[in-house]
């Protein structure tokens, strides 16, 4: 998961109010339930120490909520009397969860936000292709690639066998020219988007022709769908196919990152199950445990931050300053970095802040999948 969207939360000081909730509207008493929920959120934040202006801002945002939302859940973050970020969630929390803390409580986003990759979808036919981009925010048009149309027979008086050969040859050339144009547009759009997966839907011949013309690195990230057409748009069957392809892409990516983590952890001289001792940078391709991961994130050495579903390391207390790189295991270490008044924070929230500012990827290790002991790990960009 790319957590760069969290950067607005770290441009201003805390403390922060955080709210995670279900936004479904499946019962007739939804308005009543919504008012009760707003009162519950206000009472919870007040009891946790939130100021009146911030509580009012959160309740006002909830009261102005639409009757129905496309997302399963919602997360709000507010400070200084203003809601700074209001995010849709792919998975609804079971209960309303509130927090009031110096850092925004962002770590649960790894569970509720979802990790499906953004994808560029092309509906291909002989006349060209319509493009759309799908990501965490929904689906939106991404342009069009126009091809060449094959002209019909008309009324020419030409011997049938000779005409048929020329007609088929012209149609074949038109398919090739259209595929060239669509492939060129997809390469251009791919470079400008954050997509990690390319989906080709529509005419089978067109899909194959376009895929054959893509450069090999992009072809390796391309999947062809059996359903859907340019004329009919996106059917429910195609939506299911695309969702499956995105889920498989996310699963394969996670497994490849975990393979790197396990290999790095197993190298001689690498950190053991108890983690790095904090005396210097990790000496292998992976970091595990609070001290080693804190050091890797602080030095911008981590390519991917791994968070487990369970584990005491995520709840471990660290010490932070106002800057994302000011995070330490001990208060004295934070003071040595120049932090005059270090504040305590959860390790997972502090490391998510570091990841957002440093453009470090964050991945959730699902329950039952072997990952870092204690729940915190990192795959490194380089090691000593």
């Amino acid at each position: 998961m790319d957590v760069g969207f969290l950067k607005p939360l770290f441009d201003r000081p805390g403390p922060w109010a955080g709210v995670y909730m279900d936004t479904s509207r499946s019962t007739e008493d939804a308005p009543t339930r919504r008012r009760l929920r707003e009162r519950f959120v206000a009472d919870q934040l007040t009891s946790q120490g939130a100021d009146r202006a911030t509580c009012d801002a959160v309740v006002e945002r909830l009261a102005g909520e639409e009757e129905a939302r496309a997302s399963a859940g919602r997360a709000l973050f507010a400070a200084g009397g203003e809601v700074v970020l209001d995010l849709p969630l792919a998975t609804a929390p079971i209960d309303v969860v509130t927090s009031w803390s110096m850092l925004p409580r962002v770590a649960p986003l790894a569970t509720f936000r979802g990790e499906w990759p953004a994808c560029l979808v092309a509906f291909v036919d002989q006349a060209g292709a319509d493009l759309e981009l799908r990501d965490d925010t929904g689906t939106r048009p991404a342009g069009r690639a126009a091809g060449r149309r094959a002209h019909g027979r008309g009324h020419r008086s030409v011997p049938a066998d000779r005409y048929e050969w020329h007609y088929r040859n012209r149609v074949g050339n038109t398919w090739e020219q259209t595929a060239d144009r669509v492939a060129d547009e997809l390469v251009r759009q791919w470079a400008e988007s954050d997509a990690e997966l390319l989906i080709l839907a529509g005419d089978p011949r067109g899909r194959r022709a376009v895929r054959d013309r893509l450069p090999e690195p992009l072809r390796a990230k391309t999947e062809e769908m059996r359903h859907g057409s340019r004329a009919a748009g996106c059917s429910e069957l195609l939506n299911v196919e695309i969702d499956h392809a995105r889920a498989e892409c996310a699963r394969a990516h996670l497994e490849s990152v975990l393979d790197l983590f396990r290999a790095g952890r197993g190298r001689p001289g690498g950190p053991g199950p108890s983690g790095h001792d904090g005396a210097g940078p990790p000496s292998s391709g992976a970091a595990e445990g609070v001290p080693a991961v804190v050091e890797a994130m602080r030095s911008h050495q981590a390519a991917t931050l791994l968070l487990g579903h369970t584990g005491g390391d995520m709840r471990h207390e660290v010490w932070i300053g106002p800057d994302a790189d000011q995070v330490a295991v001990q208060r004295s270490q934070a003071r040595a970095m120049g932090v005059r008044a270090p504040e305590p924070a959860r390790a997972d929230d502090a490391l998510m802040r570091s990841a957002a500012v440093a453009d470090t990827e964050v991945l959730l290790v699902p329950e039952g999948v072997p990952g870092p002991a204690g729940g915190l790990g990192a795959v490194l960009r380089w090691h000593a």
Side-chain angles (χ1 to χ4, degrees):
M1 180 172 67
D2 178 4
V3 292
F5 63 90
L6 295 176
K7 287 181 181 179
L9 299 180
F10 308 120
D11 291 338
R12 61 176 69 193
W16 286 87
V19 181
Y20 290 83
M21 67 182 68
D22 178 7
T23 56
S24 63
R25 296 288 179 270
S26 58
T27 61
E28 294 182 358
D29 64 341
T32 300
R33 291 176 59 237
R34 188 164 63 249
R35 286 192 294 272
L36 291 174
R37 187 182 59 191
E38 293 163 8
R39 186 183 305 168
F40 174 80
V41 167
D43 290 345
Q44 287 293 304
L45 290 176
T46 299
S47 67
Q48 292 165 0
D51 61 274
R52 178 67 178 272
T54 301
C55 286
D56 289 347
V58 170
V59 171
E60 182 178 353
R61 177 63 63 91
L62 294 177
E65 181 182 355
E66 298 177 1
E67 289 297 319
R69 296 175 67 93
S71 62
R74 184 180 184 187
L76 283 79
F77 301 95
E82 179 185 359
V83 175
V84 179
L85 209 54
D86 184 350
L87 298 171
L89 302 177
T91 303
I94 297 176
D95 300 311
V96 176
V97 179
T98 63
S99 61
W100 178 252
S101 52
M102 187 55 61
L103 281 185
R105 183 78 182 99
V106 293
L109 288 172
T111 299
F112 298 127
R113 180 76 168 171
E115 295 176 357
W116 284 9
C119 67
L120 184 63
V121 183
F123 297 90
V124 182
D125 66 11
Q126 192 174 353
D130 293 325
L131 313 181
E132 67 180 30
L133 185 65
R134 298 189 177 199
D135 57 20
D136 290 336
T137 64
T139 300
R140 58 188 181 275
R144 176 175 296 178
R148 286 194 58 184
R149 292 186 178 273
H151 298 291
R153 297 189 178 198
H155 298 285
R156 295 177 59 187
S157 177
V158 183
D161 56 348
R162 193 171 121 203
Y163 185 85
E164 288 292 345
W165 183 88
H166 282 291
Y167 179 76
R168 288 195 298 268
N169 187 59
R170 185 162 64 245
V171 170
N173 289 339
T174 301
W175 271 112
E176 292 177 1
Q177 292 168 354
T178 295
D180 286 336
R181 294 184 181 186
V182 172
D184 289 345
E185 181 63 17
L186 287 175
V187 170
R188 189 185 70 81
Q189 290 279 0
W190 181 267
E192 296 178 358
S193 73
D194 294 324
E196 300 174 49
L197 181 65
L198 174 60
I199 300 290
L200 297 179
D203 184 273
R205 180 178 179 179
R207 297 195 315 254
R208 290 190 296 269
V210 170
R211 183 168 189 165
D212 289 344
R213 285 161 172 76
L214 295 172
E216 180 55 36
L218 180 52
R219 198 182 314 157
K221 298 178 180 294
T222 301
E223 296 287 343
E224 291 186 49
M225 303 288 103
R226 294 179 300 166
H227 300 95
S229 70
R230 190 181 185 194
C234 201
S235 67
E236 189 57 36
L237 289 174
L238 178 58
N239 281 328
V240 171
E241 274 195 287
I242 293 176
D243 287 349
H244 177 75
R246 295 175 73 187
E248 280 298 302
C249 181
R251 183 201 59 77
H253 176 60
L254 173 63
E255 193 55 44
S256 68
V257 171
L258 287 176
D259 284 344
L260 290 174
F261 174 76
R262 293 161 189 151
R265 181 172 59 178
R267 289 176 185 158
S274 61
H276 184 64
D277 62 7
S283 58
S284 72
E288 187 172 33
V290 177
V293 176
V294 164
E295 177 65 30
M297 294 298 296
R298 187 169 57 216
S299 62
H300 296 193
Q301 194 176 353
T304 304
L305 173 66
L306 295 171
L307 300 179
H309 247 294
T310 58
D313 284 352
M314 293 184 293
R315 299 186 299 273
H316 195 284
E317 185 179 81
V318 296
W319 295 90
I320 62 168
D323 296 332
D325 293 339
Q326 293 175 328
V327 52
V329 177
Q330 299 175 355
R331 179 185 288 183
S332 58
Q333 292 175 329
R335 286 197 176 118
M337 296 174 191
V339 182
R340 296 181 60 184
E343 296 279 353
R346 284 180 56 124
D348 52 4
D349 290 330
L351 294 173
M352 282 274 281
R353 177 180 71 159
S354 298
V357 173
D359 294 320
T360 299
E361 178 186 42
V362 177
L363 290 179
L364 177 71
V365 182
E367 195 169 2
V369 175
L376 277 182
V379 175
L380 308 184
R381 294 187 173 96
W382 47 267
H383 56 89

